Amino acid sequence: MVSTIVLYRQVGTDKSSRRLLSTPGTEDILVPPEGVQRYSLGATGSVRQRSTVMTSTQKWANSRQYGDIQATEGQFPVTQNLTVVEGGTINLTCRVDQNDNTSLQWSNPAQQTLYFDDKKALRDNRIELVRASWHELSISISDVSLSDEGQYTCSLFTMPIKTSKAFLTVLGVPKKPKLSGLTSPVMEGAKIELTCTTSGSKPAAQIKWFKNNQEITGVKNKQESDDNGKTFTITSVLGFQGDRKDDGAIVSCRVDHESFNSTPQIAEQTLEIHYRPVVTILPSTPVPQEGQQLILICESKGKPLPKPVSWTKDGAELPDPERMTVNGRELTISFLNKTDNGTYRCQVKNDIGETSAEYILIINDPNALAGPASPDHALIGGIVAVVVFVTLCSIILLGRYLARHKGTYLTNEAKGAEDAPDADTAIINAEGSQVNAEEKKEYFI
């Protein structure tokens, strides 16, 4: 069998440590001070010749008769993958449930030894020992940078050497986003294009848009690699048309990333939209009546604010300045009369344009106002009208009947008196002619 002899050399004048002479494919490691037997054996196979460095370790080697060193059952290092935010601190822990005083070592992705048991091997002030025992070797790395990312190895120096890998992921924190592209004020109808940019994120961050805390969906993100080749710059462009309803709205872009605990990075701007005025006229009473006072309020909204209001009646100046007074946006008309009827217009303007609104005044006579009849009253009125109509018809028919009989009597009486020389003879002649009275009836129609 071919043996491999590992030689150690003294490091400086300090006898507390010695450095292992590199063999092909291995890195230098620190060897602990003399007298600590678990560090002393330097063979990596079946040892047939002693190391050229003979100290107290020779006694330990002789006691083992230079035989093969085997790991005990269950003697295996255990580690876990870790994630840390750039600039943070991380603990690397290697545990062994069963250990017969065998050494543990942490090495970085470049296979440089960081700690060999409780001895520091790499001069890096950010790396500190947390705990060193037979069952655990824990170290901490502070102010972690992106270059620290990679696979770390914990080695248990049994024969053969057993290792466990721990991958350290370093998250690049996105920088505060920058919002650009808005030039205030914006005219209504003009196109607005906002650009949100953040750099330094790893993995790539996500940008979301909001308007008054309502998310705007459908906006795409564009990512580019930074110069270091590890982080990303994210850009998102939001385009929309200026509208008066957006005046005063807060538009914000939010950067979401797994490196943030709870508070995301946000950049925001307030929109200022300029637009022509909108005008409405509000009367103080819905039904103006003669003799009352009427106040017309000209309400206008615009950006910038509209200038003073001008009032006209029927396209001309107000006809009665003594009763019609203007105070700011209010037109007051005292003691309304029928001559005040007409179309009143208020007109406002700002730097964007001008707008007007009209109000048609119709004076109502308070004595002529009557409330609409209810359905019950109308029904009762219809019934009364029918009753009156029937009654009148009955009276007319009865009158015609009585009039017909009365005409017959008068006619007969007159015929008896035509040929009689005196009143008695006229009566006798009238009685005698009753026989043919039916034949001589005279009808009045």
Side-chain angles (χ1 to χ4, degrees), residues 108-128:
N108 63 13
Q111 293 304 308
Q112 295 173 313
T113 301
L114 304 179
Y115 264 89
F116 189 88
D117 282 340
D118 59 352
K119 298 304 175 181
K120 188 174 184 178
L122 189 65
R123 292 182 179 180
D124 190 336
N125 294 331
R126 302 177 305 131
I127 304 175
E128 298 291 340

Side-chain angles (χ1 to χ4, degrees), residues 5-11 15 17-21 31 34 40-42 49-59 61 66:
I5 304 301
V6 181
L7 300 179
Y8 296 90
R9 63 180 173 83
Q10 190 74 30
V11 180
K15 294 183 180 181
S17 63
R18 295 182 302 282
R19 186 169 299 277
L20 175 65
L21 293 179
V31 180
E34 296 185 56
S40 57
L41 186 61
Q49 183 178 352
R50 299 180 184 179
S51 170
T52 58
V53 181
M54 299 298 292
T55 59
S56 60
T57 61
Q58 180 182 3
K59 298 180 181 179
Y66 308 101

